[in-house]
Amino acid sequence: MKRLLGWWRGRAAKHAAVSAPGAADTGMPGYVDSRDCGLVDAVQSGWYQNHSDELFSGFPVGDQDVVLDVGCGAGGATLFCANRGAHVVFTDVVAEKIEALRVKLASTPARAIEGLVSDSMPLPLDNHYATRIIALEMLEHVEDPAAVLSELVRVGQPGALYLLAVPDAEGEKVQLDCAPVHYFRQPNHIHIFEREAFAKLVEDAGLVVERRSSYGFYWSMWMLIYWSQLRASGRELAGETHDVVHPPYSPLLDDWASLWHRLIQMPDFAPIKQHLDRLLPKSQVIVARKPY
C-alpha cells in the first residue's frame, strides 16, 4: 500500500496542477488508473495544495523552512517541499531509496538537500534543527513509536509544525479479516492506532495537536478488493507490502477506480465523500506544533 501512496505523492509533487485521468491514458474507453484516481481523491482530501503551498491543509511549506521527512520512501512529500525551495532532509532505512531521491531532487529549486540512511533511533541531527517535520505511514512499522516521536520532537525547532499520518484503526480492523497474516507482522504493520490513542501519543510526546483529519475510503475499499481477490486466487505474498502490491491490477480494481473517479467528479458528491472518509478511512492525519 505504501508503494501506491508513494506513487501518487510523487506525481502530485512533480506537477503543479492535477488533471483528471481518463481514456487517453491507455486508449481504453473509460479506463482510469487506480493510482491516478487515488491522486485526485487525495487532492480533494487536502493533500498537495499547490495554490497555497500546503503539503496538507494546515501544513504550509516555504523557501525558509528546513523540512525533515522521516521514512521518506519514494519521496513525494520531500519533492513537494523541495519544489517550494525549502531546505530538505530525508531519511530512510534503505540506502537505495535515499540515493534515488537525491537524484530526483537535483533538478528542484531546493536551497539545500540532505539524504540520511537512518532508522531514526537516534536521528543524526542536532537539537532544534527543522521547522517542518513529516512522518507519513511509518510509525506503524517501528517497535517503539513513542521513542521515535520523542526523536522527532527533539530535532524540531520551537514552533515547528509536524505532519503525522498512520493507518486508521477502522480500515485496519476490516483488513484483519481478509489481508494475509504477514500484513500485520514485521516488516509491515505491527501497530494499530485507535484515533484517540494516536492523538494522545502525539500529545504525550510534547506536541500540541492543531488539526485532526482522516481520508482514503477509496483506498480502504481498494485494498479490501485486492486482498479478497488474492485470497480467492490461492496466491501467497511475502515481504514488505509496498514492494509486492503493484500493477497490473485486476479488471475489478479498474472498475472500482473508474466508478470512484466518476463519483468524485460530481460536485454534489463532496459531502458524501467526506462522510465515507470518516467512516472507513485508510489513514488518519494529525497536524501538530511544538510549543515555543
Side-chain angles (χ1 to χ4, degrees):
M1 184 62 207
K2 194 170 183 179
R3 183 189 185 106
L4 293 170
L5 294 173
W7 185 94
W8 60 251
R9 284 172 183 154
R11 184 153 175 161
K14 183 178 179 181
H15 299 287
V18 177
S19 58
D25 292 323
T26 64
M28 298 171 57
Y31 174 81
V32 176
D33 185 280
S34 289
R35 300 161 300 178
D36 278 334
C37 180
L39 171 56
V40 175
D41 179 85
V43 171
Q44 290 187 2
S45 297
W47 287 98
Y48 299 101
Q49 302 300 295
N50 291 294
H51 65 284
S52 59
D53 292 330
E54 292 174 294
L55 176 58
F56 185 74
S57 297
F59 192 84
V61 178
D63 59 8
Q64 297 304 305
D65 283 309
V66 178
V67 180
L68 169 62
D69 185 2
V70 179
C72 62
T78 302
L79 280 163
F80 183 93
C81 299
N83 282 328
R84 271 71 201 161
H87 172 172
V88 293
V89 186
F90 48 100
T91 78
D92 201 280
V93 295
V94 181
E96 291 79 7
K97 291 180 180 179
I98 294 298
E99 290 308 310
L101 183 52
R102 200 190 308 275
V103 171
K104 292 179 184 177
L105 293 168
S107 60
T108 70
R111 59 187 174 87
I113 296 169
E114 297 181 71
L116 305 171
V117 179
S118 171
D119 66 357
S120 304
M121 293 299 294
L123 286 163
L125 296 169
D126 293 336
N127 294 347
H128 307 157
Y129 193 83
T131 62
R132 299 287 186 270
I133 294 90
I134 303 164
L136 305 179
E137 309 276 341
M138 59 83 67
L139 290 171
E140 68 273 16
H141 295 271
V142 303
E143 290 284 353
D144 191 342
V148 171
L149 270 174
S150 179
E151 268 297 280
L152 300 187
V153 173
R154 178 184 68 81
V155 301
Q157 295 182 15
L161 272 182
Y162 288 72
L163 180 59
L164 310 168
V166 297
D168 188 79
E170 296 307 311
E172 294 285 87
K173 289 173 185 175
V174 174
Q175 291 190 78
L176 283 169
D177 292 329
C178 60
V181 173
H182 81 273
Y183 184 70
F184 293 102
R185 293 179 179 173
Q186 290 181 327
N188 296 305
H189 298 186
I190 59 175
H191 301 284
I192 295 178
F193 297 95
E194 297 288 346
R195 295 174 192 176
E196 294 306 318
F198 181 42
K200 186 175 187 302
L201 184 71
V202 173
E203 291 171 342
D204 287 349
L207 300 176
V208 177
V209 174
E210 294 197 341
R211 183 180 181 215
R212 296 169 61 182
S213 184
S214 60
Y215 74 98
F217 175 83
Y218 164 74
W219 282 121
S220 290
M221 292 300 300
W222 194 99
M223 291 304 298
L224 293 178
I225 297 169
Y226 183 89
W227 294 135
S228 297
Q229 289 193 307
L230 182 70
R231 176 177 290 185
S233 73
R235 292 189 296 122
E236 295 288 338
L237 294 180
E240 294 190 56
T241 301
H242 60 81
D243 288 333
V244 296
V245 179
H246 52 74
Y249 303 122
S250 71
L252 183 55
L253 287 169
D254 289 342
D255 288 345
W256 167 240
S258 178
L259 172 61
W260 187 253
H261 183 260
R262 293 198 302 273
L263 288 171
I264 62 177
Q265 302 306 308
M266 299 167 54
D268 292 342
F269 190 74
I272 300 173
K273 170 179 153 51
Q274 292 172 6
H275 283 298
L276 293 174
D277 279 342
R278 289 193 293 266
L279 177 68
L280 191 64
K282 175 64 182 71
S283 300
Q284 52 182 312
V285 184
I286 284 178
V287 177
R289 187 179 296 275
K290 183 174 178 177
Y292 286 95

